[in-house]
Amino acid sequence: MMTETKKIALVTGANKGIGFEIARQLGQQGIIVLLGARDQGRREAAIQQLQTEGSEVVGVALDVTSQTSINAAAALIDTTYGRLDILVNNAAISLPAGRAIAGELDIDVLRATYETNVFGPFAVTKAMLPLLKRSEAGRIVNMSTQLGSLSMLSDPDSFVAKAPPVPAYNSSKTALNALTVAFASELHTTAIKINSVSPGFCATDLNGHRGFMTAAEGAKAVLPFALLPADGPSGGFFGSGDTVPW
């Protein structure tokens, strides 16, 4: 493999949904895709499909809630490639029990949601930073949502405020946005750029396929931020080409 000329991307939770489509579209760009997923069967099935389509895809066993798994993935990437060019923190959950008003939300549901949606991306980003710093132009995309926008949630006229309450998921994405800003501030003197990106309301397992966009359409909105030029933004929150208010 000509890893010296090809970019290397890690996508977490990439065995299905938007993560899978991001992996597919990155692969179509000639990028070596490291498909991160914790379920071996689903991971292998996704890899086989993308390889059949002609993409260069390699499976990485990765459970973002396990530091041991994260460390092993980072070590594997280090040993095999020596660097990482793109990290897409896509893995996330929204538990059925999380669909409740805040006063009725079980704290264990909140903890479990944050474990995957906040602590997971933080741990993965931290572990991959040494590899990203070896890239000529490291890029990090944190998959967010307009449901995590405090401005929109607090605006009674916003469609976000009128959506059914999902406080665990929504607040976890708000927290992830805060981490995006924190990392951007830390990395502003490096070539690394990090942004939060909302793919839009896509039909996925996460929302019971209620979304009006396809996963492929959502991935298409994300791709430009994984491939940002040197003069691209960092520390921002974006949707389909537009800035999303914090």
Side-chain angles (χ1 to χ4, degrees):
M1 293 184 295
M2 297 297 291
T3 58
E4 295 83 3
T5 57
K6 288 188 175 184
K7 289 184 178 180
I8 302 153
L10 171 64
V11 185
T12 69
N15 61 282
K16 63 178 182 178
I18 298 173
F20 176 80
E21 292 297 338
I22 292 171
R24 169 182 272 156
Q25 292 180 25
L26 286 171
Q28 290 171 346
Q29 295 285 327
I31 294 168
I32 298 172
V33 178
L34 310 182
L35 193 149
R38 60 183 178 180
D39 185 289
Q40 182 178 356
R42 291 178 178 178
R43 185 173 66 245
E44 293 302 324
I47 292 166
Q48 185 174 5
Q49 182 174 346
L50 293 180
Q51 287 178 341
T52 300
E53 295 174 5
S55 292
E56 191 168 349
V57 184
V58 178
V60 176
L62 181 56
D63 179 350
V64 302
T65 66
S66 166
Q67 191 64 54
T68 300
S69 174
I70 293 169
N71 291 345
L76 175 66
I77 297 168
D78 188 10
T79 301
T80 308
Y81 303 102
R83 74 172 198 281
L84 185 65
D85 299 297
I86 299 165
L87 169 62
V88 181
N89 284 310
N90 169 74
I93 61 170
S94 180
L95 301 173
R99 296 170 192 151
I101 58 174
E104 295 179 2
L105 179 65
D106 189 314
I107 193 168
D108 289 334
V109 172
L110 185 67
R111 285 196 179 104
T113 304
Y114 271 58
E115 194 68 43
T116 297
N117 297 6
V118 183
F119 304 142
F122 173 78
V124 172
T125 300
K126 188 175 178 181
M128 300 301 164
L129 269 182
L131 296 167
L132 286 158
K133 287 178 178 178
R134 295 178 201 159
S135 170
E136 292 183 0
R139 301 290 180 260
I140 306 170
V141 177
N142 285 334
M143 297 294 289
S144 190
T145 172
Q146 292 174 319
L147 296 174
S149 166
L150 293 178
S151 296
M152 298 180 76
L153 284 168
S154 59
D155 178 0
D157 295 324
S158 167
F159 73 91
V160 170
K162 296 174 182 177
V166 197
Y169 179 76
N170 294 359
S171 66
S172 74
K173 291 301 184 177
T174 305
L176 181 63
N177 288 345
L179 289 177
T180 295
V181 173
F183 275 117
S185 177
E186 173 186 343
L187 298 167
H188 79 279
T189 59
T190 74
I192 298 173
K193 296 183 182 295
I194 177 171
N195 292 285
S196 288
V197 179
S198 170
F201 191 31
C202 301
T204 66
D205 288 352
L206 195 74
N207 56 42
H209 294 268
R210 295 190 302 273
F212 54 82
M213 295 171 59
T214 66
E217 289 171 333
K220 189 175 181 180
V222 173
L223 220 66
F225 295 94
L227 302 171
L228 277 176
D231 61 350
S234 188
F237 186 13
F238 301 94
S240 298
D242 300 318
T243 301
V244 180
W246 295 114

